[in-house]
Amino acid sequence: MTERFAIVLARHPAVTGVEGLCYGQRDVTLAHGWERMADGLRTVMQGVGCRVLFSSPARRCQMVAERVARFMDLDVRIDSRLREISFGEWEGRPWAHIPRTALDAWAADVSGFTPPGGESGLDLRARVGCFWADMQRRGQSCAVITHGGPLRLMQGMAHGMPGSLLAPSPPMGSVRVVEQEDGVFSTGRSEPRIPSRLPLHQEHLRSGHRSAIAPTRT
């Protein structure tokens, strides 16, 4: 295991045909031009020496991972722990058709509430926390392409905190590089590795917090 490694956190590109819908784990269509995001992610991965790419099973993530792998000849590992949260029976329905009382109950307890046939925020935190712990033990540079829900949590876990389910979700098509050295996240700013014409955002985190395995409950 190396003492210094990077984790590239990426959210899938924009999707189309889902305006106003709850789609969660359902497969949806990537919007036109998604290949540019994949090519930008490849540039970032090459810059930090990633040879492994972990992907959610969703096609909107797998398509990006497959394109990156084809150009880089690297290992893609599909990991179900990187799925978006499951909304169960709500998926595929317009948000406007979901009972207001149910949405209010969810808002009152984002961790404990479970949509019918779906999973709770605690369920999401448990599997994402397990994945993050594996990445810490692995200690090798890699990239992760996943969804807004898991990334909300990973942004906190990168600082040794649980992460918030109510944190702002990173934009679709965004990329964040987290580097760790000797157990401490202390990444300095470097020259951007993504061409400015690409619809991507790259950010390096600077933190004095020591890394820790995030707890699976709030």
Side-chain angles (χ1 to χ4, degrees), residues 11-132:
R11 187 178 179 189
H12 63 80
V15 296
T16 187
V18 294
E19 185 175 358
L21 294 181
C22 171
Y23 56 92
Q25 293 187 356
R26 289 172 66 97
D27 274 329
V28 295
T29 303
L30 287 173
H32 177 73
W34 66 269
E35 297 91 346
R36 296 170 64 203
M37 182 273 176
D39 295 342
L41 174 59
R42 172 166 53 94
T43 301
V44 175
M45 290 176 61
Q46 289 171 330
V48 297
C50 292
R51 295 299 306 161
V52 178
L53 174 56
F54 292 90
S55 173
S56 160
R59 286 300 299 160
R60 56 190 181 274
C61 294
Q62 278 202 62
M63 288 175 66
V64 174
E66 289 166 1
R67 181 177 175 88
V68 171
R70 186 163 62 251
F71 282 95
M72 291 184 67
D73 189 28
L74 52 71
D75 185 16
V76 174
R77 301 182 187 178
I78 306 302
D79 196 312
S80 62
R81 294 174 296 181
L82 295 174
R83 288 184 182 274
E84 182 58 282
I85 191 170
S86 171
F87 290 105
E89 295 175 12
W90 291 2
E91 295 193 3
R93 298 174 60 186
W95 284 107
H97 293 178
I98 297 172
R100 182 75 250 176
T101 53
L103 294 176
D104 288 343
W106 181 28
D109 184 8
V110 293
S111 292
F113 179 82
T114 305
E119 62 182 338
S120 69
L122 290 175
D123 295 331
L124 175 65
R125 186 183 300 282
R127 58 179 168 84
V128 173
C130 181
F131 173 83
W132 189 261

Side-chain angles (χ1 to χ4, degrees), residues 137-200:
R137 285 191 290 266
R138 186 172 182 273
Q140 295 178 343
S141 293
C142 64
V144 176
I145 181 160
T146 182
H147 310 269
L151 287 171
R152 285 188 180 98
L153 299 176
M154 290 184 194
Q155 288 175 150
M157 293 173 183
H159 294 290
M161 298 181 291
S164 173
L165 292 165
L166 297 177
S169 182
M172 292 184 185
S174 64
V175 177
R176 172 172 289 184
V177 179
V178 180
E179 290 183 286
Q180 178 174 297
E181 185 171 10
D182 296 328
V184 180
F185 287 105
S186 57
T187 307
R189 193 170 184 84
S190 65
E191 293 298 318
R193 300 186 180 94
I194 304 174
S196 60
R197 68 180 182 276
L198 292 171
L200 291 172

